[in-house]
Amino acid sequence: MAISLSVVVLLAVILVILIRGKHMKAGPAIIAVLFGFFLASSSIAPDVNRFLNSLADTIAGIKL
């Protein structure tokens, strides 16, 4: 839960930076957000969640 919330916050911050920096207009940003909502309610959502969790575990396991 904490990982997915952190990812949502990180993506929201990136989206705001892109909009404010004029790299992305409001229209495509709204479409991207709507795509995320529809993707979250689709049957592929658990697979995406498992992939992001395994990616986070891999990154956490890297020893520097």
Side-chain angles (χ1 to χ4, degrees), residues 15-31:
L15 190 59
V16 167
I17 289 171
L18 287 174
I19 291 171
R20 290 186 57 100
K22 306 261 192 263
H23 296 292
M24 178 180 267
K25 301 291 181 198
I30 291 171
I31 291 172

Side-chain angles (χ1 to χ4, degrees), residues 35-55:
F35 174 73
F37 279 117
F38 284 115
L39 181 63
S41 64
S42 71
S43 62
I44 197 172
D47 294 329
V48 173
N49 193 11
R50 277 192 294 270
F51 170 73
L52 290 175
N53 283 334
S54 67
L55 184 64

